[in-house]
Amino acid sequence: MDGITLSACALAVALAILDYIPSVGPSGHLTSYYGAVRFILHAKHMIRKGYEQNKEGFFKVPMIDRWMVVVSGPRFVDELCKIPDEKLSFDHAMQDILQVKYTFGLEAQEHPYHVQVVREHLKRNFEELFPRIFEEIRLVFDELVPFQEHGWVRVGAYSAAMKATCRASNRVFVGFPICQSPEFEKIQLKFALQVATRATVINIFPKLLRPVIGRLLTNTPSSLRHCMEVLRPIVDERLKKEKFFGNNWPGRPNDMLSWLIDVSSPEDRNLRSIALRILVLNFASLHTSAQSFAHALFNLAAHPQYIEPLREEVKGVVGQYGWTQDSMSQLPKVDSFLKESQRVSCTCLTPVVRKAMEDIIFSDGTRIPAGTHLAMSPTTMSLDDQYYPNPDEFEPFRFYAMHQGAMTKSERFSMRLPALNFGQGKRACPGRSFATTTMTAMMAYLVLNYDMKLEDGVRPPDEWLFVNCSPNRTAEILFKKC
C-alpha cells in the first residue's frame, strides 16, 4: 500500500472511532462541513450546548479539516492534565491553530530558547525589575489619561490596554528607550493582531489551499525586517561587547535582550533570531494579557461601585509596603476582581488545546485517535452553577469570599478553573506570573488614581470569531483623576 492509501485508511479509522463521541451539530462526513461553517460564528453557543449535554465527559465540535474533542468535568480534566507532552502535544496543536508555518515561521517553535528565558531568567529577575515595570505603567497611563481639572476624559479601552501592556512588557523585553518608541510599539501591535487574524482566516480554508492562502497573507518577513531595523543599533552593540568582554561587561543591561544572547546557540546569536523572539514574546503578551485587561477595564467601568473597595485595599497595602512585586501578591480583592473578569469575559473558549500524537484512552474507555485536537473549556465550565452560585452574575469578590472559609472538593476545583486558562503542568504558560502581576499592578494603579465609568452604564458587546473573544475595539471608557 502506498503512503496516500495508508493515510486514507488511518483517517477512516480515526473517524470511525470519533463516531462514538457525541457531536454538536450534524456529524455526517459531508453534513459536518455545514456544522464547521456554523462554528465560525456560533462557537460559543455550540460549545455551551455540547457542555450542557455532556458535563462529565466528552463531546466534539466540527472544524473545517478536523473534529475537536472537548473534555468536561473534574475527573477527565485532571486526567488530561496528567498526560505527558509526548502523547498530547502543545507545540503540534499550536502549529495547526496558529498556522505557525505561515504566521511565525517554524524557526521559533523548533528552537524555542526564548521559553527557557521566560521560565528561568524572567522569573529569577522579576523582583529586581518590577520597579521599572511600575514606572512604565505610571508613565503610560499618565499619557493615556491626560489630566483635566474638571470633567472626564474619554479613552479607548482596547487601544489603552494594548498600549499599556506593550509598554510595560517591553520595559523588560527591550528596555528603555526602545520600549517607548512609537515605531517599535506599532510594529508589535500590528504583528500581534495580524497573526491572530490571519491564522483564523487560513484555518477557514481546506488544507489543500492553505499553502497558497498562507503565502498570500503572511506578514512575518515584513514585520521581522522592521523589528530588526529598530533593534539593530542596540543588539549590534551588545553582541560586539559580548565578543570583546564576555557576558559580564560593565553596565550590561538586565533585560530580555541580554538573556536571549546568553542562552542562544552560536548560530542563533544574531539580530534576526533575537528580533524574531521579541516578536513572538510580544504576540504572547498582547494576544492574551492585553485583551484580558481590556475586558477587566470594561467590567470595572460597568460596575463603578467596586472602585472604592479596591482603592481602599490598594491604598492600605501600597501605603505599608510600597509598589513591589511582593505587595502585588497581597491584594486579594484586586486578584479576585481579575479572576472574576476572566471567568465571565474570556479571550478564548478553548485556551488549552493539545494534539494527540498517539491514540489516547481515558479511564472510562473513551479513545481519542492520533491526530485529534483535544481541548478543555474553563470558561464554559465556569458558567455552570455546579461550580459557582449565580454563575451568570458578575460578582467581583467571589474568589475573595471563597478563600475565607473551608472549601468542598467542588469548590477547590472551582478555584482551579481560572488557572486552567494558562494551561497545566509542564506546558503551562511560563509567563503566567509575569502576566498576572503586571495586570494586577496596572489595575491597582488605575483604581488608586482614577474614577471610571461608561457613558450609558452598559458594557459594550464583545466581538466573537471562532472560539476567540475580543473586547470591543472601539468603545470608550470615561476616566477622571481622583
Side-chain angles (χ1 to χ4, degrees), residues 242-261:
E242 293 282 325
K243 183 177 179 180
F244 284 103
F245 304 112
N247 62 3
N248 286 316
W249 44 274
R252 185 178 191 262
N254 188 25
D255 60 21
M256 187 69 69
L257 289 177
S258 293
W259 306 333
L260 289 170
I261 292 171

Side-chain angles (χ1 to χ4, degrees), residues 157-159 161-162 286-299 341 345-348 459-464 468-475 477:
Y158 180 86
S159 59
M162 294 291 279
L286 294 169
H287 185 58
T288 52
S289 299
Q291 297 209 40
S292 290
F293 190 69
H295 277 306
L297 286 178
F298 281 127
N299 285 326
S341 180
S345 304
C346 70
T347 60
C348 180
R459 193 187 191 283
D462 296 327
E463 299 171 5
W464 284 88
N468 301 308
C469 176
S470 170
N472 194 291
R473 300 188 188 201
T474 59
I477 289 176

Side-chain angles (χ1 to χ4, degrees), residues 87 282 354 459:
K87 294 183 179 180
N282 270 283
R354 302 290 185 263
R459 193 187 191 283

